[in-house]
Amino acid sequence: MRFSSLECYGIPKTVVKIWETRYGADLLPLQERAIRDYGVMEGKNLVAMGATSSGKTLIGEMAALQRSCRQEKTIFLVPLKALAEEKFRVLRETYGQYGIRTVISHRERREYDGNICRGNFDIAVLVYEKLQGLIIQNPELLREVRLIIVDELQMLGDEERGADLEMLLTQIIRESRQLESKSKPALQLIGLSAVLGNADEIANWLQAGLLLHPQRPVELRRGILCGTLFQYHETNSGKIGHEFFVTKNDTPESADSSIISESPRYPGMDPYHRDKIIETSLYLAEKQNESCLIFLPTKILCRQWAEELAERSSLPPAGETLVQLEQLEESAARNILMTTLKRGIAYHNGDLPYDLRHAIESGFRKGEIQILLSTSTLGQGLNLAARNTILIPEIYRYSHRTGGFLSQSIPLYMLENQGGRAGRLGYAEDFGRMILVAETEHEQTMLWTRYIAPPMESRQGKVQGLPFEPVCSPLKEQNWDSHLLRLITGGACANSKDLEETMTLSLSGWKLNPREILEGKTLKIRIRETLDKLIASGMLIPQPDGTYKPSPEGSITASFGVQPETVQWIQKWISGMDGQKYHPAEILLLLAFTPDAIANRIPVREPEIRTNMLRFRFLKYAEDWQLDIHRLILPLLDQTPLHPKEKAVALKKTLVLLDWISEIETADLETRNNLFIGTVRSLAEDLAWLVQTFAGCATLHEWNKETIQSLDTLTRCLRHGVVEKGLGLAALPIPGWSRNHVHSFLRTGCSTPAELRELPLEIMAQRIPSPLTIRLKEYLDRKPVSANAPIPFPVTTAKDRIVLTGRPIKRRTLSIINGKELEIPNAPYLVFLKLGRMLLQEKDNFPKGGWVNRDELDPSDHWRAISRLRTILHPHLLDPDDPVLENDGCGYYRLRIQPKQMTIDEKEHDQHWNHQFHPAVNPNTQKRSA
Ligand SMILES: Nc1ncnc2c1ncn2[C@@H]1O[C@H](COP(=O)(O)OP(=O)(O)OP(=O)(O)O)[C@@H](O)[C@H]1O
Ligand SMILES: [Mg+2]
């Protein structure tokens, strides 16, 4: 079928042209069947279960474009932020010029929420939970939409999020039925998935046609690597075949047809087969020039393996990505990536902030990054340029029972979705590979039987889908408090009859009538009990006419999408508080104990739990701020009935966030708390949400306006990671602008964009990298700065006087700062010495010279030594707000003093026991080009 034939469905010629330019003349077979056989352009519901990369997204896009030409709106639901951003970017790039208004919303992107609630869009890309929140704010929203596309429909079975998705779909079904009963056209639903076990049941539930299409446009070899032999089954052809991968450590003789070249030394000692996977991916990337995406079960493994791969790799550096990263906020994660990217390697997980993840994804798409290690963050839906995926058949799941993570075998549906990132149409032509690694013959047989062996039918020549696990909704087992409360608050249901009707439409309640048994109770009894509970906890108020209304607390619970217990906890404490201004430490500690905050899990080390050190650190903080610990802090710590580990986690979260809203630099914050910035941001986002919930409750208690405003300020500080004074600058919409930059400008006395505008260019350039200076200047002046205009080098210098004596004192070395002796540990001292030597070496080039590349400062661990030096010097400077250590944001550092203010006793250094300090060791360091 040709795109041009879609004109008969009301698709304008221009749109057809757009598709032809992007895809060529023809639709893919799956897309053709959806239109020809399943009436997707005639408003029919559809569940499309097509193999990975079979082109499911375009089915939704075509229907959405048809709708928009009739002035009808579409909502595109996806499970992940990364996926929402990818869809948003593609839709904007493809149809923006034609005039289609695409908007996006998830927890970190709220700028279009107003437009969505006003119906000011054609296609809205939303993360599932976001739609639920918007419906409660604006119950009319569903009535304004004609088409809903649900991507990754298998998420219905997700333990954490499946029940919410099921309830959302139930509301959509109900809305659609109501429209039909009024003889209006129903809402159209299109569900997309590659991996639904019980697709027929789901399609029946949604009253949708079921389109099964197991063929991929690009062949996928799914197989097991054991020794040198990769034995595979081809998805499309059904062929079983093999290849040999002869890696560095394999002898050529081992490349024969035997399955295992050598019996393993210690079977089971390395359950993830790290060495083999590292070797294989290097072989594929270096020898075969093929990209590899490796999925690992934990964040730590991603980082560690990436570092190890980088040490062993001889791949070329990922040049453009490195340049991009130079301009992003300095953080521990960024610095690790800067090292691995020099060898063509990267990792991607929840520890990375969004802009870093985005840079890594695009570097992998460009082919610059040849080996990428990821947790499940890249595991579904995304179009990546992987020729190979290498998988570990294991996942870690949080267990509420044990309070820890347990490892389980990966379900087939998840494995297939991850494996399906290889061999994507548009990135690969002949085939992709999904590789599992086995060490022994026994393991190979097990993996083959469980994950690879084709189903019986396909052995007889017919290609069939894989036997994925059926999607089982967790709704049945969960308590229904939040779900029923949301239905009532959003106006979808008013009484028990409405609730029964609605819950009967859910997948769990479907096919049941209210008298049948559901998990040991009839639907009716379950609803009755939940309503009683909500009434007893003050969330619902029964009305004389038999209907229910949410109490103010109930409304807050439903509209903020938090658990009823969270609001109850806040209410319990707030009623004893006097409504006066509270310190962020008190508010954050109180909120860190709510069930919603507890659900956001961060790692805490064993000694932090055992030694009570977090409690001491917190009480010290309270003392420094002269807080009255008896009014809230001690009662919270002593009266909360939680396990010591959970208390430690709550304390750690509070301390991390107090650092986050202070001027402490991001890299130092990460080191000090042993957490990466991506984790901190996500925590801050969650707590900001809870502070807003708290403000909602405080309003109910008629707290004064000023106090409520201070809560709003705290929310904004948490979102941006800045001190209150920095809020004026924090929201500047400039790529690469970070909290460190905001704080650095605050120290110059600028706290508003207007004050920043007055700042001379050279002072700006002294604080932030050159490209960012240009972007900032252009934004502030609303006119372009010529890209060629050289940014003047700063001429202002600090007044401090420094002597590096080279005299060892045990494991430290003596320096004299402004006349005072200071013993500095050797790693930061070496950084200091290198910078001092460069300053003197280039004294004739002052004030342009003195820069040293960070790799030369401390190749193994530069950011830590630099950061330590900065911290050590800070209290001893004449003006602590005028730092002597300067970073140009492009990887170079120098001392911001005049050469005559620096003295180095080279004779003493030559005698130093640490030979690294000898002058001959670093004679000429790399200069920065002007
Ligand atoms: N008609 C077409 N002709 C050529 N390429 C196409 C066509 N339709 C889609 N594609 C391309 O195919 C690739 C895969 O499409 P898509 O992302 O929709 O896969 P999918 O079926 O959703 O896979 P997954 O289940 O992995 O999410 C994309 O790069 C897309 O641009
Ligand atoms: Mg998809």
Side-chain angles (χ1 to χ4, degrees):
M1 188 185 229
R2 301 197 154 241
F3 282 111
S4 53
S5 60
L6 298 179
E7 282 176 42
C8 66
Y9 293 105
I11 300 287
K13 270 201 167 58
T14 326
V15 175
V16 169
K17 279 254 139 48
I18 293 175
W19 287 335
E20 285 173 343
T21 318
R22 212 171 123 196
Y23 303 113
D26 298 312
L27 277 80
L28 291 172
L30 167 89
Q31 297 156 354
E32 178 175 342
R33 289 178 65 197
I35 292 175
R36 183 165 289 160
D37 307 334
Y38 290 82
V40 83
M41 301 294 260
E42 285 135 35
K44 299 225 171 99
N45 288 354
L46 171 71
V47 169
M49 157 115 155
T52 51
S53 188
S54 57
K56 296 182 287 295
T57 315
L58 191 61
I59 299 178
E61 265 175 64
M62 290 188 291
L65 261 289
Q66 184 201 37
R67 295 283 176 177
S68 74
C69 293
R70 299 185 201 149
Q71 286 198 317
E72 293 172 352
K73 300 182 202 318
T74 298
I75 287 182
F76 204 125
L77 291 173
V78 295
L80 300 171
K81 273 185 281 184
L83 214 47
E85 293 287 347
E86 191 197 60
K87 297 260 182 283
F88 175 65
R89 180 180 53 81
V90 172
L91 290 170
R92 275 237 154 153
E93 277 169 18
T94 317
Y95 310 113
Q97 277 201 330
Y98 175 66
I100 299 293
R101 297 163 301 165
T102 306
V103 294
I104 180 171
S105 182
H106 51 74
R107 270 180 74 173
E108 278 150 54
R109 286 287 287 268
R110 277 177 281 260
E111 65 259 40
Y112 297 106
D113 285 9
N115 287 23
I116 298 172
C117 284
R118 286 192 296 277
N120 211 352
F121 67 92
D122 294 307
I123 306 176
V125 184
L126 308 179
V127 169
Y128 305 147
E129 287 80 1
K130 190 67 196 228
L131 178 59
Q132 182 65 67
L134 291 173
I135 294 175
I136 292 174
Q137 272 174 37
N138 174 15
E140 296 299 307
L141 182 61
L142 278 186
R143 262 155 242 167
E144 300 196 10
V145 176
R146 306 282 345 118
L147 166 64
I148 298 192
I149 302 158
V150 189
D151 202 6
E152 307 296 342
L153 196 53
Q154 75 282 354
M155 284 295 288
L156 270 169
D158 187 84
E159 259 176 50
E160 310 241 319
R161 302 170 63 196
D164 285 344
L165 177 59
E166 181 179 343
M167 286 306 299
L168 189 59
L169 289 172
T170 304
Q171 277 169 268
I172 294 167
I173 295 170
R174 187 169 193 264
E175 182 64 34
S176 197
R177 299 273 166 90
Q178 284 180 347
L179 285 170
E180 275 179 317
S181 69
K182 293 177 196 154
S183 310
K184 292 188 182 159
L187 261 169
Q188 186 184 4
L189 246 178
I190 301 178
L192 310 173
S193 175
V195 290
L196 268 180
N198 49 343
D200 46 351
E201 190 186 12
I202 307 274
N204 273 341
W205 171 50
L206 298 174
Q207 299 196 332
L210 173 62
L211 166 53
L212 296 173
H213 191 86
Q215 290 89 353
R216 299 177 102 239
V218 177
E219 184 63 88
L220 185 67
R221 294 184 172 174
R222 309 169 70 259
I224 316 237
L225 175 67
C226 193
T228 53
L229 181 74
F230 174 60
Q231 200 166 28
Y232 60 80
H233 170 250
E234 283 191 350
T235 305
N236 288 352
S237 71
K239 194 181 109 188
I240 291 183
H242 65 263
E243 296 175 62
F244 288 105
F245 299 163
V246 185
T247 59
K248 264 188 210 153
N249 295 348
D250 295 315
T251 53
E253 304 81 64
S254 61
D256 60 16
S257 57
S258 66
I259 288 177
I260 308 159
S261 53
E262 201 184 301
S263 56
R265 273 167 307 167
Y266 310 108
M269 284 293 280
D270 173 15
Y272 300 138
H273 309 316
R274 188 177 68 161
D275 289 344
K276 184 71 185 166
I277 291 180
I278 288 180
E279 237 173 63
T280 306
S281 58
L282 284 173
Y283 160 79
L284 290 168
E286 289 173 352
K287 295 274 172 326
Q288 310 294 327
N289 195 20
E290 294 182 6
S291 58
C292 283
L293 174 58
I294 305 175
F295 284 102
L296 295 172
T298 70
K299 291 194 276 191
I300 296 181
L301 286 181
C302 290
R303 178 165 45 83
Q304 288 174 343
W305 288 31
E307 287 179 314
E308 180 161 353
L309 265 160
E311 268 175 35
R312 291 167 58 174
S313 149
S314 55
L315 291 166
E320 274 183 46
T321 315
L322 275 164
V323 172
Q324 228 180 320
L325 256 65
E326 290 279 13
Q327 296 175 28
L328 300 180
E329 178 178 21
E330 178 159 356
S331 63
R334 188 197 74 157
N335 292 332
I336 295 169
L337 280 165
M338 301 274 295
T339 314
T340 62
L341 283 169
K342 286 188 185 134
R343 303 294 187 87
I345 314 280
Y347 71 94
H348 187 290
N349 64 23
D351 284 339
L352 311 188
Y354 180 70
D355 47 4
L356 257 183
R357 291 193 214 183
H358 189 67
I360 298 299
E361 284 162 38
S362 72
F364 192 61
R365 277 197 193 99
K366 280 187 222 144
E368 285 198 334
I369 298 169
Q370 287 270 60
I371 304 179
L372 178 58
L373 299 108
S374 169
T375 50
S376 55
T377 47
L378 293 177
Q380 50 185 7
L382 290 169
N383 277 300
L384 299 162
R387 162 80 159 196
N388 301 290
T389 45
I390 305 184
L391 311 174
I392 305 249
E394 206 166 291
I395 45 165
Y396 275 80
R397 287 232 160 97
Y398 185 76
S399 155
H400 292 278
R401 205 167 42 82
T402 62
F405 284 86
L406 297 178
S407 102
Q408 298 173 347
S409 346
I410 194 168
L412 179 60
Y413 80 86
M414 204 178 268
L415 183 101
E416 184 64 14
N417 234 348
Q418 294 184 354
R421 296 315 99 202
R424 307 288 293 182
L425 188 58
Y427 291 103
E429 273 159 24
D430 43 3
F431 61 85
R433 292 189 200 90
M434 179 189 103
I435 304 169
L436 288 166
V437 175
E439 196 179 34
T440 60
E441 197 172 340
H442 169 64
E443 191 181 8
Q444 196 222 27
T445 313
M446 261 177 7
L447 290 175
W448 184 272
T449 317
R450 167 117 204 237
Y451 296 115
I452 309 290
M456 292 304 278
E457 295 88 335
S458 77
R459 284 191 207 142
Q460 288 149 15
K462 201 175 143 211
V463 177
Q464 286 284 319
L466 291 162
F468 298 117
E469 301 80 359
V471 157
C472 253
S473 165
L475 183 67
K476 282 188 211 164
E477 291 92 49
Q478 281 186 354
N479 86 44
W480 288 2
D481 301 10
S482 304
H483 302 303
L484 299 198
L485 188 60
R486 277 183 219 156
L487 287 173
I488 291 172
T489 312
C493 299
N495 52 35
S496 17
K497 190 164 157 279
D498 289 347
L499 289 168
E500 274 165 36
E501 274 173 21
T502 307
M503 294 311 285
T504 314
L505 293 175
S506 70
L507 182 59
S508 316
W510 174 63
K511 292 189 295 192
L512 293 174
N513 71 50
R515 275 178 299 284
E516 279 176 294
I517 300 292
L518 181 75
E519 290 296 302
K521 286 177 186 159
T522 67
L523 193 77
K524 217 172 175 156
I525 293 177
R526 194 124 182 228
I527 290 174
R528 182 67 263 157
E529 284 181 0
T530 311
L531 285 172
D532 287 346
K533 203 168 139 204
L534 287 167
I535 293 166
S537 62
M539 293 277 148
L540 277 186
I541 305 170
Q543 304 295 305
D545 60 357
T547 61
Y548 299 93
K549 286 225 162 81
S551 65
E553 292 86 346
S555 292
I556 290 174
T557 308
S559 31
F560 283 96
V562 293
Q563 300 179 37
E565 292 78 12
T566 289
V567 171
Q568 281 160 9
W569 173 261
I570 295 174
Q571 289 286 60
K572 172 184 155 185
W573 287 94
I574 224 171
S575 49
M577 290 161 79
D578 56 11
Q580 295 308 306
K581 217 171 155 185
Y582 281 81
H583 189 273
E586 294 171 296
I587 303 288
L588 291 174
L589 184 67
L590 189 155
L591 294 174
F593 284 121
T594 58
D596 278 278
I598 290 171
N600 182 324
R601 291 176 279 272
I602 59 163
V604 177
R605 285 171 299 173
E606 199 46 44
E608 288 176 316
I609 303 167
R610 218 176 344 99
T611 60
N612 247 345
M613 63 201 255
L614 292 164
R615 184 184 170 109
F616 293 134
R617 216 177 114 196
F618 190 83
L619 292 178
K620 173 82 180 58
Y621 181 98
E623 193 186 317
D624 290 349
W625 285 89
Q626 297 178 356
L627 304 181
D628 172 5
I629 54 171
H630 298 284
R631 74 169 179 170
L632 199 58
I633 293 171
L634 285 184
L636 271 168
L637 290 176
D638 297 336
Q639 291 168 26
T640 307
L642 280 181
H643 189 273
K645 182 176 172 192
E646 285 187 328
K647 279 194 190 181
V649 174
L651 274 167
K652 179 154 180 178
K653 285 177 184 167
T654 314
L655 286 163
V656 170
L657 293 176
L658 290 170
D659 280 351
W660 174 245
I661 56 171
S662 77
E663 291 196 31
I664 180 170
E665 296 226 344
T666 302
D668 294 342
L669 179 152
E670 291 174 295
T671 320
R672 181 168 145 145
N673 295 290
N674 202 29
L675 285 180
F676 285 94
I677 184 65
T679 311
V680 179
R681 269 186 192 282
S682 129
L683 179 67
E685 189 60 39
D686 276 5
L687 265 286
W689 193 248
L690 289 172
V691 174
Q692 279 200 324
T693 312
F694 183 92
C697 294
T699 314
L700 292 184
H701 286 260
E702 298 180 348
W703 279 22
N704 67 48
K705 233 174 152 181
E706 209 181 292
T707 314
I708 306 275
Q709 226 148 24
S710 73
L711 292 170
D712 183 53
T713 307
L714 176 57
T715 307
R716 291 191 296 134
C717 290
L718 285 168
R719 293 223 160 102
H720 295 291
V722 294
V723 296
E724 185 177 341
K725 248 189 343 183
L727 284 173
L729 294 181
L732 292 180
I734 302 166
W737 184 243
S738 74
R739 59 186 291 276
N740 284 352
H741 300 140
V742 170
H743 293 139
S744 157
F745 281 111
L746 282 185
R747 288 194 282 273
T748 66
C750 290
S751 59
T752 64
E755 285 165 0
L756 212 52
R757 200 172 295 128
E758 298 303 315
L759 211 62
L761 201 60
E762 59 268 28
I763 306 278
M764 248 186 212
Q766 183 189 320
R767 305 255 150 193
I768 54 176
S770 315
L772 182 60
T773 311
I774 296 177
R775 285 199 292 271
L776 178 62
K777 199 70 190 150
E778 285 182 349
Y779 175 81
L780 294 169
D781 294 348
R782 305 267 187 271
K783 64 172 190 228
V785 173
S786 159
N788 298 327
I791 295 183
F793 283 96
V795 285
T796 61
T797 50
K799 303 275 176 292
D800 302 87
R801 294 195 164 270
I802 297 166
V803 183
L804 299 180
T805 70
R807 251 176 281 146
I809 297 170
K810 291 188 182 157
R811 301 203 66 79
R812 292 167 179 249
T813 303
L814 185 73
S815 67
I816 302 171
I817 313 289
N818 300 314
K820 274 204 188 131
E821 295 193 344
L822 186 62
E823 294 164 18
I824 301 182
N826 285 341
Y829 187 89
L830 184 59
V831 169
F832 209 2
L833 184 62
K834 286 182 182 176
L835 290 169
R837 282 186 178 143
M838 181 56 97
L839 184 74
L840 296 182
Q841 189 184 318
E842 294 210 322
K843 62 174 183 279
D844 298 336
N845 199 14
F846 182 81
K848 287 192 182 177
W851 296 98
V852 186
N853 189 285
R854 70 166 136 228
D855 288 341
E856 296 189 33
L857 285 179
D858 184 353
S860 58
D861 205 0
H862 55 257
W863 60 272
R864 209 181 284 258
I866 295 169
S867 155
R868 276 177 76 195
L869 177 63
R870 204 181 268 141
T871 316
I872 292 166
L873 294 181
H874 188 255
H876 304 280
L877 299 180
L878 292 177
D879 176 1
D881 287 339
D882 195 15
V884 290
L885 201 60
E886 183 180 7
N887 172 10
D888 76 343
C890 297
Y892 284 82
Y893 288 78
R894 72 169 176 181
L895 293 173
R896 259 188 69 245
I897 52 171
Q898 302 208 21
K900 61 180 185 206
Q901 292 162 234
M902 164 62 77
T903 312
I904 301 179
D905 187 337
E906 288 296 10
K907 267 196 199 144
E908 286 283 344
H909 283 98
D910 213 17
Q911 307 293 319
H912 200 289
W913 59 263
N914 186 338
H915 76 280
Q916 283 186 295
F917 292 179
H918 297 181
V921 176
N922 312 291
N924 271 319
T925 35
Q926 188 190 331
K927 287 180 192 168
R928 185 181 85 153
S929 55

